[in-house]
Amino acid sequence: MANHEDIRDTILVVDDTPANLGTLFECLHNLGYSVLLAQSGEDALELLKEKIPDLILLDILMPEMDGFTLCRCIKANPQTRDIPILFITASDNIEHKLIGFQVGGIDYITKPFQQEEVLARIQTHLKLQHLRQDLEKHNIQLQQEIEIRKKTEQELAQAKEVAELAKKAQGLFLAHISHETRNLLHAIINSVQLLNYTNLDDQQNEYMSTLIQSSDMLLYIINDILDFAKIESGKLEFVIKDFNLVYMIQQTLQILMPKVLGKHLQLHWSIEAELGENWRGDSIRICQILLNLLGNALKFTTHGFVHLHVQQIIVNSQTMLRFEIRDTGPGISPEQQALLFEPFSQLSHVREGTGLGLAICKKLVELMNGQIGVQSELGKGSTFWFTLPLSPAAMRADELAPQEKRTVTLAKPRRVLLVEDDPINQKVDSIILVQLGVEVDISNDGHEALQYLQENSYDAILMDLELPEMDGMELAQMIRDPNSRALQHDVPIIALTAHTDAQEECLHAGMTGYITKPIQPDILWTTLTQYFPLPDQSNSKHKRPIAPLMYGKKIFDYEAFLHHVGDDWELYHSILQTVPSDLHKQITKLQAYIQAKDAAGAMGQARTIKGMMANLAAHRIQDVAYEIELAGKKGDLLQLQELEKQLLTEAELFLEELAAHTAAD
């Protein structure tokens, strides 16, 4: 064929002999080629200005401008240099042929030429030319695609970097919001509880009930939002360990019992007869799911029952535990069921909460490779269920059921080891423990704590995470090590920290509990009673709880601090006497870290100062210490230097007010 993709190929014939031009024109034209004719080199160059042919047949011996010269001119022009040129000659001179190839020719046709040979050579070189053109076209397209891909990859890399920065900023923002909001809210809740212990009339009691319910709901909403944000950012971790299923269920239902009181409602549970009690998984997250599902069932069921049943099933040869929560509530329509597990989705008649509870449950179950669902019919109640792939526990049953192990009476005083390096925190925390009826040994660091543990047995350890030389995580791991010299390797270890997001890390290190600083007596009492019984605080001489710290912006809230030490004036004054020297030591350490450009060290030291000032109710210096902690976490050395000056100013104001207050007393 003489065409390429239905387009006629054009051939330029350059020869000074008219007979040759006529013969070639007739032959090529009859085969469908478009033919241009030129009798000289000059004519050929003029034609090339108007039309670019696909191939040139060029005679060598021509007057004025021979074929070699014309070929050089054609190859020198960027617009024509790629046209294939076949020389036509009557000479067999090898030198002519070499010159032809040197100036850019691709083939020779010898006169007198045979028509079949000419056509064969033309067709071959046109095919090669078209293949070259196609290849160039594809190369151009490929280069364009490569450039587009590179640009896309660059845009994706930039978008990823922006997303990672946004994710990091979100994490810092959530940490800051979590710290500030929870501190303020805990102060409000504890203040309300304190006020509730005073003599109130009926109307005030009604207002108080509304306050308590509203503050509890607000805390629930904040926790939901922060949990959901942590899941979405991928920062949620799971702590897989052996646990006792029966004990976990009993503890969960005990938490929910207040919701049953005052209702014509039964809350009960059962497990399959053949089902073992001891399993391996994240019992804290399972408990969180159960609390949400059971809490919803109790909220919407006004009479009848709420029943939890656990059984073992096999799915695709894998052992699964199936948890079912069945209630006799109003039921849920199919339309509403389809939206139940979506974020911020609520039933049409519900106006409280965030609508995140079931979405969080779904995320948690799926992250643990399980499934969750609901079966419900209007007027006939609902059954929420979830399945989890759990394996049997490796530990013995008696090691996993703490409520069955501890049968000692209250007559024996409980003994706790407090591991805390800050003298002020030691005094404040120890007085709270004494008021709870607990004997206290105090250790200043990890090495001293190990010495205590080699010589004494304790019912629990309260351990600060930020300890000198050996931090709390390392100390907990050493205690759990069966090769260590500690007398007890399974003693409950409760972390004390100003962090709000260190729970998973603490549990990984072998700790069993977690309390956020500053310690609140009621929270400490609740935490300790999970491991051993304590005197009922409602009947003690300290009937009202010790007042929480009021997180305002006072330089020194001496009334709040006095309440925090149980209105013990002697303890109050003894602590204040040591504050100036203790604060000077802590600030000097911080300055050394900043001077050495050690952002991580500055962050840890600022956290120590923050906890110390929180216990003293020195709120402004506490806030500056928190800002230094955040700057250290970001590695912002310039901000650390600026905040150091602010801290020194606030410390001077605090010590002046402390001195004036002490002198006035």
Side-chain angles (χ1 to χ4, degrees):
M1 294 296 294
N3 55 15
H4 177 62
E5 297 182 353
D6 299 326
I7 299 175
R8 297 178 67 190
D9 291 318
T10 300
I11 300 176
L12 170 61
V13 181
V14 185
D15 197 313
D16 62 332
T17 304
N20 291 339
L21 290 176
T23 301
L24 289 171
F25 176 85
E26 183 179 359
C27 174
L28 296 173
H29 181 73
N30 290 338
L31 291 173
Y33 293 105
S34 175
V35 183
L36 301 175
L37 301 177
Q39 285 188 275
S40 67
E42 291 81 0
D43 291 343
L45 291 175
E46 290 298 321
L47 283 174
L48 289 172
K49 293 178 181 178
E50 300 177 2
K51 177 73 173 179
I52 301 298
D54 297 292
L55 184 141
I56 298 176
L57 296 178
L58 177 58
D59 187 21
I60 294 177
L61 300 177
M62 294 186 298
E64 298 181 8
M65 180 185 295
D66 63 22
F68 296 143
T69 303
L70 177 59
C71 184
R72 290 189 183 96
C73 292
I74 293 173
K75 295 300 179 181
N77 186 344
Q79 294 183 342
T80 59
R81 64 187 178 190
D82 292 330
I83 303 173
I85 297 176
L86 279 70
F87 283 110
I88 302 174
T89 179
S91 172
D92 289 331
N93 191 325
I94 189 65
E95 293 183 1
H96 284 181
K97 291 183 179 181
L98 290 174
I99 294 172
F101 287 122
Q102 290 172 356
V103 298
I106 61 170
D107 203 353
Y108 269 89
I109 298 176
T110 304
K111 295 179 182 178
F113 47 76
Q114 298 294 322
Q115 181 173 322
E116 292 80 3
E117 179 188 0
V118 172
L119 293 177
R121 292 181 182 273
I122 289 175
Q123 289 175 352
T124 298
H125 288 295
L126 281 175
K127 286 180 181 179
L128 291 174
Q129 175 70 350
H130 293 320
L131 288 173
R132 184 185 64 79
Q133 291 173 345
D134 288 342
L135 182 60
E136 289 180 351
K137 180 180 178 182
H138 289 310
N139 281 337
I140 292 172
Q141 291 176 346
L142 183 60
Q143 288 296 328
Q144 291 174 342
E145 290 176 1
I146 290 173
E147 291 300 321
I148 293 173
R149 179 170 293 183
K150 285 182 178 179
K151 184 179 179 181
T152 302
E153 289 175 351
Q154 290 174 351
E155 292 174 349
L156 287 174
Q158 292 173 354
K160 182 182 178 182
E161 183 178 357
V162 171
E164 288 175 348
L165 289 174
K167 189 175 180 180
K168 184 178 180 180
Q170 180 192 42
L172 292 173
F173 173 76
L174 287 174
H176 183 78
I177 290 298
S178 171
H179 174 85
E180 296 299 331
T181 306
R182 280 174 168 156
N183 275 347
L184 289 169
L185 188 55
H186 282 149
I188 293 171
I189 292 174
N190 287 333
S191 299
V192 170
Q193 291 174 345
L194 176 63
L195 185 59
N196 196 36
Y197 278 90
T198 63
N199 295 323
L200 304 175
D201 58 32
D202 292 343
Q203 187 176 22
Q204 289 171 331
N205 275 319
E206 184 178 348
Y207 294 157
M208 183 58 60
S209 177
T210 302
L211 268 175
I212 292 173
Q213 291 177 7
S214 299
S215 58
D216 286 345
M217 179 55 67
L218 181 56
L219 181 60
Y220 173 80
I221 290 172
I222 290 173
N223 287 336
D224 263 3
I225 293 173
L226 293 173
D227 278 349
F228 187 75
K230 186 180 287 188
I231 292 173
E232 289 295 292
S233 65
K235 290 186 176 181
L236 190 70
E237 295 182 359
F238 292 90
V239 180
I240 306 302
K241 61 180 183 178
D242 295 342
F243 70 95
N244 183 276
L245 178 64
V246 172
Y247 177 65
M248 183 197 71
I249 292 174
Q250 290 174 341
Q251 292 295 101
T252 303
L253 297 187
Q254 185 176 355
I255 295 172
L256 294 168
M257 282 309 296
K259 293 189 175 185
V260 183
L261 300 177
K263 287 188 175 183
H264 300 288
L265 192 62
Q266 291 183 342
L267 173 61
H268 41 73
W269 63 279
S270 63
I271 64 173
E272 195 175 39
E274 296 80 12
L275 184 64
E277 293 186 12
N278 305 309
W279 295 85
R280 185 168 182 80
D282 192 329
S283 59
I284 294 176
R285 297 302 176 192
I286 298 173
C287 181
Q288 181 179 353
I289 298 167
L290 288 174
L291 283 172
N292 196 296
L293 298 180
L294 286 166
N296 284 344
L298 292 170
K299 181 194 302 183
F300 299 117
T301 305
T302 56
H303 62 278
F305 65 85
V306 172
H307 181 75
L308 167 64
H309 180 68
V310 187
Q311 67 184 78
Q312 179 177 318
I313 61 174
I314 304 297
V315 179
N316 296 328
S317 302
Q318 186 176 25
T319 300
M320 311 279 284
L321 287 194
R322 178 181 173 94
F323 297 79
E324 289 186 359
I325 295 92
R326 188 159 59 95
D327 65 57
T328 54
I332 307 168
S333 69
E335 295 77 16
Q336 291 175 325
Q337 290 180 41
L339 302 173
L340 273 181
F341 296 100
E342 295 298 320
F344 307 106
S345 175
Q346 292 179 308
L347 298 178
S348 58
H349 60 283
V350 177
R351 292 293 180 266
E352 61 181 33
T354 60
L356 287 173
L358 290 177
I360 291 173
C361 287
K362 185 173 187 291
K363 293 281 187 180
L364 290 175
V365 169
E366 290 176 348
L367 287 172
M368 291 188 285
N369 299 316
Q371 294 182 321
I372 189 170
V374 61
Q375 297 167 337
S376 184
E377 186 176 346
L378 285 175
K380 294 186 178 180
S382 305
T383 299
F384 281 82
W385 60 268
F386 65 95
T387 59
L388 294 174
L390 302 179
S391 57
M395 296 177 66
R396 301 191 312 272
D398 60 344
E399 296 178 302
L400 296 173
Q403 80 282 9
E404 296 175 1
K405 290 178 64 177
R406 297 181 174 88
T407 58
V408 295
T409 64
L410 291 180
K412 179 183 177 181
R414 295 296 171 174
R415 192 176 185 186
V416 169
L417 177 62
L418 174 63
V419 188
E420 169 67 69
D421 64 314
D422 181 71
I424 293 177
N425 290 344
Q426 287 178 356
K427 293 178 181 179
V428 174
D429 295 348
S430 62
I431 195 64
I432 294 174
L433 287 165
V434 170
Q435 290 177 348
L436 294 178
V438 175
E439 293 183 356
V440 186
D441 286 340
I442 299 176
S443 168
N444 294 289
D445 56 50
H447 296 294
E448 188 177 355
L450 287 174
Q451 187 65 36
Y452 272 103
L453 291 167
Q454 291 173 18
E455 301 171 356
N456 304 280
S457 295
Y458 294 96
D459 294 289
I461 301 173
L462 296 178
M463 183 186 298
D464 183 28
L465 294 185
E466 302 294 331
L467 295 171
E469 298 182 18
M470 181 193 304
D471 64 27
M473 301 293 185
E474 184 180 356
L475 176 57
Q477 290 172 346
M478 291 187 68
I479 295 172
R480 295 297 184 225
D481 184 356
N483 296 319
S484 71
R485 297 178 62 185
L487 297 179
Q488 303 163 278
H489 301 296
D490 60 349
V491 59
I493 303 175
I494 301 162
L496 305 178
T497 178
H499 283 297
T500 59
D501 58 353
Q503 182 176 4
E504 286 83 1
E505 188 178 1
C506 291
L507 295 175
H508 274 302
M511 300 183 184
T512 52
Y514 176 96
I515 296 178
T516 303
K517 291 183 177 181
I519 293 177
Q520 299 300 329
D522 56 341
I523 296 176
L524 180 58
W525 185 88
T526 301
T527 302
L528 291 177
T529 52
Q530 295 179 15
Y531 305 102
F532 51 79
L534 284 173
D536 187 353
Q537 294 300 295
S538 63
N539 296 323
S540 70
K541 64 179 181 179
H542 303 286
K543 182 174 181 180
R544 66 175 175 81
I546 299 173
L549 303 183
M550 301 295 106
Y551 289 88
K553 297 300 176 184
K554 291 184 179 180
I555 295 176
F556 175 44
D557 190 345
Y558 66 91
E559 292 180 344
F561 177 58
L562 178 60
H563 284 306
H564 196 59
V565 296
D567 295 329
D568 187 329
W569 279 95
E570 183 178 351
L571 176 63
Y572 172 81
H573 283 294
S574 69
I575 291 176
L576 292 185
Q577 288 175 0
T578 65
V579 167
S581 61
D582 289 340
L583 181 59
H584 175 72
K585 291 178 183 177
Q586 299 297 344
I587 291 179
T588 301
K589 289 181 181 179
L590 176 64
Q591 289 177 305
Y593 283 123
I594 295 176
Q595 187 175 0
K597 298 183 180 180
D598 185 351
M603 177 183 70
Q605 184 61 24
R607 190 180 300 128
T608 298
I609 296 174
K610 180 183 70 175
M612 174 182 172
M613 294 297 102
N615 269 328
L616 288 169
H619 306 307
R620 282 170 46 171
I621 193 170
Q622 175 196 351
D623 288 345
V624 178
Y626 178 61
E627 292 298 326
I628 294 175
E629 180 186 352
L630 292 181
K633 188 174 184 178
K634 292 187 292 185
D636 192 335
L637 296 175
L638 290 177
Q639 189 178 8
L640 283 174
Q641 294 172 354
E642 291 299 319
L643 290 170
E644 177 190 358
K645 300 174 185 177
Q646 187 177 344
L647 181 70
L648 292 174
T649 301
E650 291 296 338
E652 185 177 353
L653 292 173
F654 166 70
L655 291 174
E656 287 177 358
E657 182 158 332
L658 180 63
H661 174 71
T662 305
D665 289 342

